[in-house]
Amino acid sequence: MKTRTYLISGILFLSLITTTLPAQENQSANGYIPEVGQQGKDVVWVPTPQELVNKMLNIAKVTPDDYLIDLGSGDGRTVITAAKIGAKATGIEYNPDMVALSKENAKKEGVSDKAEFIQADLYETDLSKATVITMFLLPEINLKLRPRLLDLKPGTRIVSNTFTMGEWEADQEVTTEENWNSWNTAYLWIIPAKVGGKWKIGNVDLDLTQEYQFVRGIFNPGGKSQAVTDGRLDGSSITFTIGNEKYSGTVGDKIMKGTMTNESAGSKSDWIATR
């Protein structure tokens, strides 16, 4: 598994954004104009380029069935773009002037019925109902949020502009073509089900170890240990291999079940594992 580490101080971050991004052309009815690089509660404000917003929502496969929460929503562009797709979307923003501006922008775009903006602290916001969470936060904030994100419902999609989640490897990484020299990378993580621990397939022990979306373990038929390899979670879907047998299925709280295929023997059968 690859690991990428970012070490960025507030000063360096500010110098990067002030030299690589144009001034934002936003103005609220009361005359408030946000400035790129202005200080927020935890980060300075930098608008995500629209082409990257589009890419982030694309890799998250946002549909009208989704509920998106944008953490640090700024001028509201990610929430508004999601609302235009038909999704219900909420922006969490600490600066009340930015919240007011976002509401005006949503009204101008005709999506006030789908786009909501709340002045709140992202650390205190309930994220449990979201199916998609977007963010453009610093690495240390991502890491602070990581435990809460991993406790969300399996299958919830997390998308970040530029910054990663430490050793939690992204499920997908994409870049934009238009904005190739600055803020052009998006990372997607899909919250995995929790499968670590002891299971039984029939009367046989299956002991699984989980590291984020990756799974390994030991299967003990007849007292002869076999390695569980190539284990991978995609939300509540799981795949793994034991010898020549390839398992695929879905994960519940107390049960996993699916199909086992042995290509060398040309056989296929159902399997069930219980905690």
Side-chain angles (χ1 to χ4, degrees):
M1 289 179 277
K2 63 183 180 180
T3 301
R4 183 175 299 178
T5 302
Y6 292 89
L7 299 174
I8 289 190
S9 68
I11 295 175
L12 176 56
F13 187 62
L14 181 58
S15 68
L16 282 171
I17 63 169
T18 55
T19 57
T20 61
L21 286 174
Q24 179 68 8
E25 295 180 358
N26 269 323
Q27 183 170 354
S28 68
N30 64 7
Y32 173 73
I33 303 175
E35 296 182 3
V36 175
Q38 69 184 25
Q39 185 63 49
K41 179 178 181 293
D42 299 293
V43 297
V44 295
W45 177 64
V46 184
T48 297
Q50 185 61 46
E51 58 265 30
L52 186 57
V53 171
N54 298 341
K55 184 73 74 172
M56 291 169 70
L57 300 186
N58 180 260
I59 64 173
K61 299 180 180 178
V62 174
T63 74
D65 294 328
D66 281 308
Y67 173 40
L68 179 144
I69 295 179
D70 186 34
L71 300 179
S73 53
D75 63 2
R77 64 182 62 191
T78 300
V79 169
I80 291 168
T81 305
K84 286 182 175 180
I85 295 172
K88 179 182 177 182
T90 297
I92 305 301
E93 172 57 51
Y94 195 76
N95 184 331
D97 291 322
M98 295 294 273
V99 172
L101 175 62
S102 298
K103 290 179 178 180
E104 292 178 18
N105 289 341
K107 185 176 181 180
K108 291 176 184 176
E109 296 296 329
V111 292
S112 294
D113 59 329
K114 292 284 188 179
E116 177 185 27
F117 297 94
I118 300 173
Q119 194 274 320
D121 188 324
L122 60 87
Y123 295 119
E124 299 175 2
T125 300
D126 180 7
L127 306 177
S128 62
K129 295 181 180 179
T131 58
V132 178
I133 294 175
T134 54
M135 59 181 71
F136 185 13
L137 306 170
L138 290 172
E140 57 267 29
I141 300 176
N142 287 1
L143 291 178
K144 188 173 180 179
L145 288 171
R146 189 174 71 183
R148 290 182 59 202
L149 298 177
L150 285 165
D151 279 337
L152 294 175
K153 183 180 179 181
T156 303
R157 291 95 77 197
I158 313 296
V159 192
S160 172
N161 173 351
T162 302
F163 299 114
T164 65
M165 294 278 182
E167 70 274 15
W168 182 13
E169 182 178 325
D171 290 295
Q172 188 176 353
E173 175 184 347
V174 298
T175 57
T176 60
E177 296 179 0
E178 299 91 340
N179 193 54
W180 60 268
N181 63 336
S182 170
W183 315 121
N184 67 341
T185 302
Y187 296 94
L188 169 72
W189 296 264
I190 300 173
I191 301 302
K194 298 182 188 301
V195 299
K198 295 185 180 298
W199 298 78
K200 281 188 178 291
I201 297 180
N203 294 320
V204 181
D205 291 334
L206 176 67
D207 193 356
L208 298 180
T209 301
Q210 179 176 358
E211 185 177 1
Y212 304 109
Q213 70 269 51
F214 300 100
V215 180
R216 54 187 173 84
I218 298 294
F219 188 54
N220 290 290
K224 296 181 180 180
S225 296
Q226 293 179 269
V228 176
T229 62
D230 302 322
R232 181 91 185 221
L233 286 155
D234 182 358
S236 59
S237 297
I238 189 170
T239 57
F240 58 89
T241 299
I242 302 174
N244 294 323
E245 299 173 342
K246 295 183 178 181
Y247 291 74
S248 61
T250 56
V251 182
D253 289 337
K254 300 291 184 179
I255 190 170
M256 291 190 290
K257 60 182 179 179
T259 302
M260 183 274 289
T261 303
N262 188 323
E263 295 183 355
S264 61
S267 62
K268 182 179 291 188
S269 61
D270 294 335
W271 64 278
I272 295 177
T274 55
R275 286 192 187 273

